[in-house]
Amino acid sequence: MLPFLSEAQTFTDTLWTKVLGGTNFESPKYAGGEGPSTKASVMVDDQDNVFITTGTLSNDNDVNASFGMLDAWVIKMNPEGDTLWTKVFGGSQNDSPLGIVSDGNGGCVIVGVTNSDDGDFAATGHHGTTEFEDGFSAFIDKDGNLTKIKQYGSGEYTTETQAGDEFSSGGHDGLNAVTATADGNFMAVGYTNSIDGDLGPMDESQYWSGWFLKFDPTGKKLSSYKISDDTGGQNESFQYNLYDVVQAENGEFVALGEAIQGFSMFYWVVKTDGIDNVNKTWTQTYGCGSFLYPKAITKKDNESYVACGWIMGGDGDVRATTYGNTDIWAFEIDDQDGSILKQNAFGTAGGEDPFDIITLKNGNILIGASIITPEGFPQDFGGYDNWLLELDSNPDTLLTYRFGGAGYDAISGIAESNKGDAFYTASITNSNDEQGYVHKNYGEVDICLNCSLQNPNRTL
């Protein structure tokens, strides 16, 4: 295993770096600003065009519209980093795009969370008042036209206790990630505490639960299921949220999320039995005895998956050496029962936070993260930097690549080119300096898209 931060093991070249944004925040909460949680997600189509989606509070420079508060923003760029088009959509409330996938026709499908019932969301059927968020899907064609948009969820519901008191709940529904299905549709995952609308009829004993939502290329709901760990979601202290999903063999799905059970926090992975029926095949929780945050999962092969997130400490299911503060934890899990096959941790005494993970065409694993190291470490651009880690099957470090500026830089989404010769990283940045990689800032926090040539000695 190479040292986790080996200066000799870096990619050979950065082909280009482009900064995009306006004078306000893009991805505000992830960068320490105000507003709802959002992130920069990225994908590559079959022509190597790059799509990025994020939330924005701007209305100038690269951001060509505003509907009020946080809007959804989509950018399409060619392989050389030239902007082909940008699209802003939303309403007068907060609209946060969180997941993106190709529509198979040169466009994209985006899912996220919205509180709006006007603007682009005026005719989409918001559930309840704008106090309660819905999940949404939005379809944008290859030319940047918003062709379809749909909301999913439920309004607040009121029940009566045995003592005759009224109890109000429900209405909080959101989608965090989406993937294309083998039958030409889409599966999204997220969270819900609703029992009616698109979530009903459901058992009221399930409170905050994970959510599987399947929809077709018109946005029509095909199936909608609440799901929780085997311990159930019987009360408000039990909360479940799914952050990422991949399709397994035979139309099955595996999703990664978080399970909060009272005062305990866990990584949570659930496997379902197929495209049309979302029943649990198995469910597993994994803990470290302290704070943690699961982020993303990728299919390694037909027999296993690799999940990642951050941890604090090495107790419980964490058997890898940890470095202090928050470290990246990557662990391989078995397709049959969710048991841990292999694991490793990566970090310094400073602090690391992974945001995305993908399986490369050569079978290795790539993690996109942020890193902050103690003073005196080599290749430190200052503040938080972008950090790419390529891992082998163990998973041990093969290559690391660190880049950024003197400010805050954090990779939020990663993708690989179709030929397997370059990485695309979408990061959040407020850097602007000559020594680093980021030489422009429009104001507050921008989005930085970087294309990095992979090491030519890699075996594809």
Side-chain angles (χ1 to χ4, degrees):
M1 173 176 155
L2 294 171
F4 83 93
L5 190 57
S6 174
E7 295 310 302
Q9 302 297 320
T10 61
F11 302 108
T12 57
D13 194 16
T14 295
L15 296 182
W16 49 260
T17 298
K18 297 295 177 71
V19 175
L20 303 156
T23 54
N24 211 319
F25 281 94
E26 280 64 60
S27 292
K29 193 170 182 180
Y30 269 65
E34 299 297 328
S37 178
T38 186
K39 63 180 182 179
S41 299
V42 62
M43 70 155 215
V44 176
D45 68 10
D46 58 4
Q47 302 298 312
D48 265 345
N49 295 309
V50 186
F51 292 74
I52 311 105
T53 186
T54 187
T56 179
L57 294 170
S58 298
N59 184 23
D60 52 13
N61 295 320
D62 296 316
V63 185
N64 54 11
S66 175
F67 291 85
M69 300 184 73
L70 185 72
D71 293 322
W73 185 33
V74 189
I75 308 106
K76 181 179 181 180
M77 307 179 77
N78 66 19
E80 290 72 43
D82 301 316
T83 300
L84 300 177
W85 50 255
T86 71
K87 178 68 176 179
V88 178
F89 66 92
S92 60
Q93 304 299 311
N94 285 314
D95 313 298
S96 181
L98 296 171
I100 188 170
V101 69
S102 171
D103 67 357
N105 297 305
C108 61
V109 180
I110 296 165
V111 299
V113 180
T114 180
N115 291 83
S116 294
D117 61 0
D118 54 8
D120 290 315
F121 290 101
T124 60
H126 189 79
H127 299 80
T129 67
T130 57
E131 178 184 355
F132 299 96
E133 72 272 23
D134 279 350
F136 76 82
S137 67
F139 293 75
I140 299 179
D141 68 17
K142 61 183 180 61
D143 299 315
N145 301 304
L146 179 64
T147 59
K148 311 174 193 72
I149 192 165
K150 175 69 176 176
Q151 294 190 67
Y152 315 91
S154 170
E156 183 185 32
Y157 63 87
T158 301
T159 57
E160 188 172 299
T161 67
Q162 291 182 343
D165 300 322
E166 288 190 344
F167 175 75
S168 295
S169 189
H172 296 286
D173 315 291
L175 297 173
N176 295 317
V178 62
T179 188
T181 64
D183 61 355
N185 296 298
F186 302 94
M187 182 69 80
V189 294
Y191 65 91
T192 180
N193 71 342
S194 298
I195 63 171
D196 54 15
D198 290 314
L199 283 306
M202 287 289 172
D203 183 357
E204 288 189 40
S205 67
Q206 286 190 312
Y207 192 69
W208 285 100
S209 300
W211 184 18
F212 280 86
L213 174 75
K214 183 183 178 184
F215 55 91
D216 70 12
T218 70
K220 178 183 176 182
K221 180 190 70 176
L222 300 177
S223 61
S224 178
Y225 292 90
K226 294 178 72 171
I227 199 164
S228 58
D229 184 33
D230 289 335
T231 56
Q234 293 87 354
N235 56 61
E236 293 185 44
S237 66
F238 284 59
Q239 298 185 22
Y240 301 87
N241 194 341
L242 294 173
Y243 299 125
D244 201 9
V245 61
V246 292
Q247 184 161 356
E249 293 300 294
N250 304 317
E252 299 173 321
F253 291 89
V254 175
L256 169 74
E258 181 181 40
I260 300 175
Q261 299 173 351
F263 295 101
S264 299
M265 305 169 64
F266 301 93
Y267 284 67
W268 173 43
V269 179
V270 58
K271 183 179 181 183
T272 69
D273 61 356
I275 288 177
D276 295 316
N277 298 299
V278 185
N279 299 305
K280 285 180 292 190
T281 301
W282 51 257
T283 178
Q284 290 278 9
T285 56
Y286 318 85
C288 69
S290 185
F291 294 106
L292 52 81
Y293 202 122
K295 290 298 181 71
I297 191 168
T298 186
K299 179 183 174 183
K300 180 182 176 186
D301 50 41
N302 292 340
E303 298 178 353
S304 64
Y305 312 87
V306 180
C308 74
W310 61 255
I311 54 172
M312 294 186 72
D315 295 330
D317 293 299
V318 179
R319 294 290 183 262
T321 300
T322 56
Y323 299 90
N325 206 328
T326 61
D327 295 316
I328 296 171
W329 187 41
F331 60 103
E332 182 180 351
I333 53 179
D334 186 84
D335 175 72
Q336 296 300 311
D337 59 9
S339 58
I340 295 178
L341 301 175
K342 301 173 183 178
Q343 60 173 287
N344 213 334
F346 310 91
T348 70
E352 294 73 38
D353 188 359
F355 285 85
D356 203 1
I357 186 171
I358 60 174
T359 302
L360 299 172
K361 290 177 172 55
N362 68 350
N364 292 332
I365 301 297
L366 186 70
I367 294 176
S370 68
I371 178 172
I372 182 168
T373 53
E375 185 177 354
F377 266 70
Q379 206 182 45
D380 183 357
F381 294 99
Y384 283 86
D385 293 329
N386 300 309
W387 196 27
L388 278 172
L389 302 90
E390 185 172 352
L391 312 177
D392 65 15
S393 59
N394 287 321
D396 288 336
T397 310
L398 290 175
L399 298 166
T400 70
Y401 182 33
R402 180 171 177 166
F403 59 101
Y408 179 100
D409 303 281
I411 293 175
S412 185
I414 53 178
E416 185 182 22
S417 65
N418 287 285
K419 292 181 180 180
D421 58 354
F423 299 140
Y424 297 99
T425 62
S427 60
I428 301 158
T429 181
N430 64 1
S431 295
N432 182 14
D433 53 86
E434 294 301 322
Q435 288 72 39
Y437 286 72
V438 185
H439 309 312
K440 180 183 291 186
N441 179 259
Y442 291 102
E444 301 294 353
V445 173
D446 296 326
I447 300 301
C448 180
L449 186 71
N450 177 272
C451 179
S452 301
L453 182 68
Q454 296 187 23
N455 190 304
N457 297 319
R458 296 174 71 249
T459 301
L460 297 175

